[in-house]
Amino acid sequence: NKSGNRHQHFTLHVSKYHLGILMAVLNGVLAATIMVPLHYAPPNTTHGVGYSMSFGFAAMIVVIVFWFFRFLYHAVRIFAGCSQCNVQVILQSCSQAYDTLPSFHINDMWRPGLLAGLLYSIGNLCGIVSIQKLGNFMGYSLNQTSMIVSGLWGIFYYREIPGMWNIIGFLSSAFVVMVGILLLGHEHVG
């Protein structure tokens, strides 16, 4: 190319809104299947806590792998822009890649992060037990009431939904969902 740069970078521009929608859909698809592996586990080996422990280890591994790939992406990107290849350039690109990673903000985030992790883990453990006792259809449906709770937080605490009619629409929909869940619970066999 004219600039003399031997590497061309492909850049995909996605709006925050569309990226948010994509990630929400991926979350829904992946989160809706998290209990499927439980049905393939040997009998009498996974009773809530045991499954939760392996689930937690897997979640930790995924975070570490994604963190490593993010570091690697930045290191390669920085290294590709260099005209020469030597140990100093490699170390410098690794150092710069490390600096591009988000800070853990441990001093500020340990309390809210610990509380969020605690609440999520307790909720996840309760969800596992409910699915084991009620089955995927009923247990997972009941676990999805979390959407209603998060919606209520969004309405009343964060004020994310403007307009009374929008709020009434959400509350009406939540009511229909709760009635549907209760009807499912009444019809559940097993």
Side-chain angles (χ1 to χ4, degrees):
N1 60 28
K2 292 181 182 177
S3 66
N5 192 357
R6 56 192 179 126
H7 299 286
Q8 290 183 342
H9 296 284
F10 174 74
T11 304
L12 179 65
H13 296 284
V14 179
S15 72
K16 288 182 181 181
Y17 175 79
H18 289 107
L19 182 61
I21 294 292
L22 175 65
M23 293 297 117
V25 168
L26 283 173
N27 176 54
V29 169
L30 296 172
T33 59
I34 62 172
M35 293 300 154
V36 171
L38 180 62
H39 290 284
Y40 297 102
N44 301 323
T45 60
T46 55
H47 295 289
V49 175
Y51 189 73
S52 184
M53 291 296 287
S54 60
F55 180 90
F57 284 125
M60 182 178 67
I61 289 168
V62 167
V63 168
I64 291 169
V65 167
F66 271 82
W67 201 260
F68 175 74
F69 278 128
R70 183 174 177 160
F71 167 80
L72 195 60
Y73 166 77
H74 287 292
V76 169
R77 202 173 114 219
I78 292 166
F79 180 74
C82 296
S83 59
Q84 55 183 331
C85 177
N86 59 41
V87 174
Q88 183 180 359
V89 171
I90 293 171
L91 292 175
Q92 184 179 11
S93 67
C94 288
S95 175
Q96 289 176 0
Y98 177 79
D99 290 340
T100 63
L101 296 174
S103 172
F104 287 113
H105 298 286
I106 292 177
N107 289 335
D108 297 325
M109 293 303 299
W110 78 269
R111 282 185 187 99
L114 187 66
L115 180 60
L118 184 67
L119 292 171
Y120 177 81
S121 295
I122 291 170
N124 188 44
L125 183 58
C126 292
I128 290 169
V129 172
S130 73
I131 290 170
Q132 285 181 325
K133 302 301 179 191
L134 299 172
N136 269 330
F137 183 72
M138 185 64 197
Y140 205 77
S141 296
L142 286 170
N143 289 334
Q144 297 313 303
T145 58
S146 62
M147 290 186 294
I148 295 170
V149 172
S150 66
L152 293 172
W153 274 102
I155 290 171
F156 296 114
Y157 186 77
Y158 296 108
R159 308 264 185 231
E160 293 176 337
I161 298 180
M164 185 55 68
W165 287 112
N166 292 333
I167 293 171
I168 290 171
F170 175 84
L171 294 175
S172 300
S173 299
F175 177 76
V176 169
V177 167
M178 289 305 296
V179 168
I181 289 172
L182 292 173
L183 290 173
L184 283 173
H186 181 69
E187 294 296 321
H188 178 68
V189 177

